Amino acid sequence: MATEASAGRRLRLRGLTAGPHLLAALVVFGSWELYGRVGNPVVMPPVSAVLTGLFDITFGGPLPGALLSSLQLLFVGFATALGLGTLLGILIGRYSLANRVFGPFLNAMYATPDIALLPLILLWFGFGMTGRVVVVFLAAFFPIMINTYSGVRDAPADLLEVGAAFGVDSELGRLRKVILPAALPLIMAGYRLGIGRAVVGMAVAEVYLRLGGLGTLIVQYGAAFRTDLLIAAILPLPLLGIVLTKVFERIENHFQYWRNV
Amino acid sequence: MSSADGRQPKIRLDDIHKTFRWTSKGKQHVVPALEGVTFDIRPHEFLSVIGPSGCGKTTLLRIIASLANADIGKVLIDGREVTKPGPERAMVFQAFGLFPWKTVIDNVKFPLTTRKVPDAEATRRAREQLRRVGLDRFETSHPHQLSGGMQQRVGLARALATEPDILLMDEPFGAIDAQTREYMQEELMKIWHETDKTVVFITHDLDEAVLLSDRILVLSRGPGTVRRVVDVDLPRPRWEYDVRAHPNFAPVRHEIWQLLRRDLQAQTEEETTGGD
Ligand SMILES: Nc1ncnc2c1ncn2[C@@H]1O[C@H](COP(=O)(O)OP(=O)(O)OP(=O)(O)O)[C@@H](O)[C@H]1O
Ligand SMILES: [Mg+2]
């Protein structure tokens, strides 16, 4: 009974919060359409033109292929960041020796804006796939590494003692049974932040490092002054960022449920 | 290797010394916690340990559990020296120490899983202990969904899971409200009667110590040494009558209180005069 009532309340709340959203969307898109129709379409094409453009480049157009190629880059870069970020986070969070060896380098790199590194990455890794992967990797790596590091460093001493009392007697056991489960909410939050950054990194890599995927379309349409298609090609980026972040938020909440007291 | 009454002690504490040393901000800290504790704990007895705050009770229990090492001295279980935690000793923690991400049953299975007991067997044994503490309906709950008293019953079930000979309990009911505590004390007594375990039970609560124990070990203020051992001569089972109204209750309680009071007084005087 109680859960039904609260579910009902939640639905009504959702209705209340959706109302303003819809209204805002109506105002924004409405004025955009109007402005586009009276003004210069190269500067600002109306929404309807953008949507038609999106339709055209999606069905029988170049968008799906470009998106797929972008997703490949995103996947490789993010997966590398996830693996290395988690591993290094564990190492420097748990072992002071690792922290002393890697810590200063990581701090210095973290303090350097990724954009400033682009020319270097170009020099070191060239125009190939590797350079682009490195850009995506760098974008996603730090939130993942830092969150893993904090989670592992603050491993609960009392639960480590509980583990020891009940037969956990190896470092691997401590990691698997106590430290990582306790750090999981923070680690997952790092992945969520990381995937959002990775999407940005992907766009930067494909537009500024070497044309590829969505980047090709964006630059092409820009050069041709097809602003309607340009916006249509940019649209998948925020969508991708939002959708992926939401997906990771879901996963994160799944690992977090025991925290809600 | 045998004690005065001719039986081998369950646990022998042989001249246990422990000093904590560490440096922070370039300053050396030296805190002596235990200074030569020698004591025999009998098989199947219920022993309470009482003493002023900071006198080393938790440290002593951790040394018995091999969660900390003594600087000097050793712990013998059934005549054999122990240096690592083992399934024959199980701890019940003051703050429960449940893994919040595990369900109730997985928490209870934990000591079995770490010791490679097959899953079906572990589940069966965990269920048995959960039934014993009356929580079999909460198997799939998570700790945060339970009251403090229920959480500590999970802690107790977990400690019982490996069917240890020895239960080590560090103020297990200290964080539980008074009424629930009384109920838990009774349950613990019943479990102890059923299972025949040796229990080392730390408490701050004089009534609790007298109510539960065969003997009470009174430690001096820190660094802890054995101050006195008090026998509790009250018939069992003790849940069948009003123990506090028994003529033997008040004298024992008074004796321990006198011992503690002197130490507490000395401690307060030291603190107020700033002497050391
Ligand atoms: N890990 C540790 N590092 C440094 N000092 C410690 C450590 N554990 C205990 N101590 C110190 O050793 C002394 C004894 O501590 P212990 O926790 O055993 O006392 P206790 O009798 O259990 O106290 P309480 O009744 O408050 O629980 C205290 O002075 C404490 O500050
Ligand atoms: Mg203590």
Side-chain angles (χ1 to χ4, degrees), chain B residues 115-126:
Chain B
R115 278 147 183 144
K116 308 263 171 350
V117 176
D119 191 65
E121 168 77 359
T123 306
R124 191 186 62 74
R125 286 167 68 177

Side-chain angles (χ1 to χ4, degrees), chain A residues 157-187:
Chain A
D158 53 338
L159 291 183
L160 279 169
E161 173 132 327
V162 171
F166 290 114
V168 176
D169 53 7
S170 65
E171 177 63 12
L172 202 66
R174 275 189 287 279
L175 273 174
R176 272 193 1 180
K177 305 240 173 205
V178 183
I179 298 168
L180 288 179
L184 207 55
L186 258 178
I187 295 178

Side-chain angles (χ1 to χ4, degrees), chain B residues 35-94:
Chain B
E35 226 162 50
V37 174
T38 300
F39 190 74
D40 283 351
I41 299 166
R42 300 170 187 153
H44 315 305
E45 89 167 311
F46 198 116
L47 178 88
S48 282
V49 181
I50 209 161
S53 188
C55 76
K57 301 182 292 295
T58 297
T59 305
L60 186 64
L61 205 69
R62 293 180 68 232
I63 290 173
I64 298 176
S66 304
L67 292 170
N69 295 319
D71 302 330
I72 310 173
K74 51 192 180 207
V75 177
L76 289 87
I77 309 281
D78 295 324
R80 267 192 299 275
E81 182 173 359
V82 288
T83 52
K84 287 196 183 73
E88 78 290 348
R89 284 160 289 157
M91 243 332 200
V92 177
F93 295 86
Q94 176 172 10

Side-chain angles (χ1 to χ4, degrees), chain A residues 161, chain B residues 18-22 29-34 49-62 68 94 170-171 202-204 219-220 222-224:
Chain A
E161 173 132 327
Chain B
K18 179 76 181 180
T19 300
F20 290 101
R21 293 166 208 278
W22 72 98
H29 297 261
V30 179
V31 177
L34 294 167
V49 181
I50 209 161
S53 188
C55 76
K57 301 182 292 295
T58 297
T59 305
L60 186 64
L61 205 69
R62 293 180 68 232
Q94 176 172 10
D170 189 359
E171 299 190 42
I202 294 179
T203 180
H204 268 118
L219 294 182
S220 66

